[in-house]
Amino acid sequence: MNNSHRMASGTPLPNIDQTPAPQTFEAWKQAVLHGTELTLQHTLPASNETPARLHEAMRYAVLGPGKRVRPLLCHAAGEAVAARCPALNVVAAALEMMHVYSLVHDDLPAMDDDDLRRGRATVHVQYDEATAILVGDALQAQAFITLSQAPVSAACQVLLIRELAIAVSSTGMVGGQMIDLSSIDAELDIAQLEHMHRMKTGALIHASVRMGALCAETTQENLDRLDRYANAIGLAFQIVDDILDATADTATLGKTAGKDAKNHKPTYVSMLGLKRSRQLAQQLGEQAQQALTTLPGRTDPLHGLVDLVINRLH
Ligand code: GRG
């Protein structure tokens, strides 16, 4: 069977399904990053396609040096239940587009008002504010177009589209952002803080894991195990983000450090302190690892990603 896929840009995707499975976590990660990059390159509209300024700005936003945590989680979860690589590459690309839309809009003057992202000028600084708004809008649409082209059954495409739409909806990422924006100077308790982060950051991370698994027709038991993993790693990711905002420098993060305290935002660090925040992140990491019993495929990438999320430096 020919596994090349013709995507939105019209260029066939290379056949990256036939390469042997990498042995170490690092080799696995590099292979996934390579597949994600190729798929994003092919799936995003070309920068000379009209309107060229918008397409160029979309590519600037997405093809910058992100960590690609969501694509990595999608692949790792898919491989844990033996999903096929071409579908995972396409779904991973859609997840990264959705994530980047949220970053571009979050950086806007009306929201976090930041001029640095991934070590480079934010989209509204590099281009202009109206272009940045449209880049976010178009990336969100492009994510759904991409999912509608995933090489899975039509029924599975609908499941993937629904999963992503719910994750970024007013009860997921966008709702979490709304609560976050209204929490400046507010007195949140730890349960409210957790709820906000589960929506704002956790929902898309959770969807990344589930969507990888949905590419294979897996059992409800396996999905339940992966849900537990995703819930734990999603919250751990945010706690580590709070820790890094308080402890790392701007050059290392590639975005402005210390913004939470400056903006009087409640965070795990402001509420629990650094030591307890680190302990909580470790505990959640252990919970994530424990969820990974008896999955039918390869689980070392999911284990490796716990370490990567908890011990990351940016
Ligand atoms: C504007 C609709 C809308 C939503 C924004 C996710 C988000 C909601 C805002 C991002 C702000 C932020 C710093 C959130 C904390 C966690 C987070 C998502 C960090 C950025 O994700 P990384 O670290 O970034 O995966 P890279 O650049 O590596 O992809």
Side-chain angles (χ1 to χ4, degrees), residues 20-29 75-82 295-303:
Q23 295 303 306
T24 64
F25 173 70
E26 195 47 41
W28 173 87
K29 186 179 140 203
H75 270 268
E79 291 189 31
V81 294
L295 286 163
R298 175 180 186 180
T299 55
D300 59 303
L302 282 174
H303 282 287

